[in-house]
Amino acid sequence: MEIDIQLLPCAPQPQLLAHRVVVVIDILRSTSVIIQAMSQGALEIIPVTTVEDAFKMAKAFPPGFILLGGERESKNIPGFDLGNSPREYVAKRVKGKKLILTTTNGTKAFHLVSSGKEILVGSFFNIGAVAQRCLELGRDLLIFPSGDEGNLSLEDTICGGMLIELIKRRGGKPISLTDACECAKILYKKFGDNLLEAFHLSHHGKELISRGYEEDLAYCARIDAIPLVPIFRDGVIRVK
Ligand code: MLT
């Protein structure tokens, strides 16, 4: 198995992805939100890239049938039902519901890697379960951190480094890593025992604190809290 990690969130060449498993990561906060919402009974999540697309798509459903969630500049979007704090996505709000989600980086990332063989949703919440799934699939892997407005994201890269470490530790078979993977592993080794230190250091972590979402940092640092692996296929995220 060959593992690579795309440190900057630009579109990989489709032919590179065709036979690969892809893991999309956006710790702060959209993949954490997706895994949280699915664990609270949301039926499916449709990630879209623009607010306009979200409103247009919602019109295709009967009123109240679908919820709109997401953020711009980390803030709630006027006319939407939910923001982008995972703490909002509780059973009382999302159980049995379909959601349309739009965020700055995370929802875009799914569409950048949509030609992947199997696209998994990853965060610290489900990192052990994702590692297990990657090993079961036994295919070459591309880890895709969603980044921070086109820049490298520290928290997403550390999560990628942890995933690499877990797969290597559990794999029991030869795994080849790129230099980008070695860099991610080094960051995980440095911050793995104190994720919150990294979140407070990161550009987006600081933004969230300045915008009043400090509690989300601790919430998103919980490792293996939700061992389920949502899959993005044909434009929709579901749990098998
Ligand atoms: C994103 O997708 O960029 C993030 O989830 C943004 C945020 O939640 O602040």
Side-chain angles (χ1 to χ4, degrees):
M1 178 199 277
E2 188 205 84
I3 305 181
D4 193 4
I5 183 168
Q6 179 116 4
L7 296 177
L8 291 177
C10 37
Q13 289 153 22
Q15 69 275 16
L16 264 184
L17 290 181
H19 72 288
R20 277 183 190 251
V21 169
V22 182
V23 177
V24 174
I25 295 173
D26 184 25
I27 300 301
L28 300 177
R29 298 168 288 176
S30 55
T31 58
S32 300
V33 161
I34 291 165
I35 295 157
Q36 166 79 17
M38 301 308 278
S39 76
Q40 295 293 304
L43 297 177
E44 61 186 40
I45 298 177
I46 306 170
V48 297
T49 51
T50 69
V51 173
E52 295 66 37
D53 286 350
F55 279 124
K56 216 186 296 164
M57 194 178 279
K59 284 205 180 82
F61 295 89
F65 183 81
I66 200 150
L67 295 176
L68 287 169
E71 58 71 42
R72 285 297 180 270
E73 296 180 349
S74 308
K75 300 190 192 87
N76 293 18
I77 299 165
F80 272 40
D81 307 287
L82 296 151
N84 203 40
S85 167
R87 294 172 295 129
E88 292 177 67
Y89 290 75
V90 291
K92 212 169 65 203
R93 300 294 307 277
V94 302
K95 189 173 174 59
K97 295 280 185 185
K98 296 188 178 193
L99 287 82
I100 296 172
L101 185 73
T102 183
T103 69
T104 311
N105 303 292
T107 53
K108 275 198 196 93
F110 287 101
H111 296 282
L112 290 176
V113 297
S114 57
S115 55
K117 183 77 181 164
E118 180 110 336
I119 303 159
L120 311 181
V121 182
S123 89
F124 287 114
F125 289 168
N126 66 351
I127 197 69
V130 171
Q132 203 49 45
R133 188 82 188 102
C134 292
L135 285 165
E136 285 159 10
L137 291 164
R139 286 178 172 277
D140 292 347
L141 172 64
L142 177 70
I143 301 169
F144 194 87
S146 303
D148 181 7
E149 300 192 61
N151 301 310
L152 182 144
S153 153
L154 178 59
E155 62 275 6
D156 293 351
T157 308
I158 292 168
C159 187
M162 182 173 187
L163 179 57
I164 295 159
E165 193 60 43
L166 287 174
I167 290 173
K168 272 187 74 70
R169 227 184 273 158
R170 297 181 187 182
K173 54 183 173 188
I175 290 176
S176 71
L177 300 179
T178 58
D179 288 359
C181 284
E182 296 298 348
C183 296
K185 273 177 56 187
I186 292 165
L187 283 173
Y188 167 60
K189 287 237 163 67
K190 171 147 179 58
F191 292 105
D193 296 335
N194 189 350
L195 295 176
L196 267 185
E197 181 195 354
F199 293 5
H200 279 81
L201 201 57
S202 86
H203 173 258
H204 192 48
K206 288 177 187 155
E207 273 184 338
L208 286 171
I209 293 168
S210 69
R211 292 167 179 169
Y213 294 103
E214 180 155 6
E215 283 179 66
D216 283 349
L217 273 64
Y219 197 86
C220 294
R222 296 173 312 135
I223 295 172
D224 290 332
I226 306 175
L228 57 82
V229 183
I231 295 170
F232 176 68
R233 186 174 292 153
D234 305 328
V236 181
I237 295 169
R238 294 188 184 92
V239 170
K240 254 204 193 132

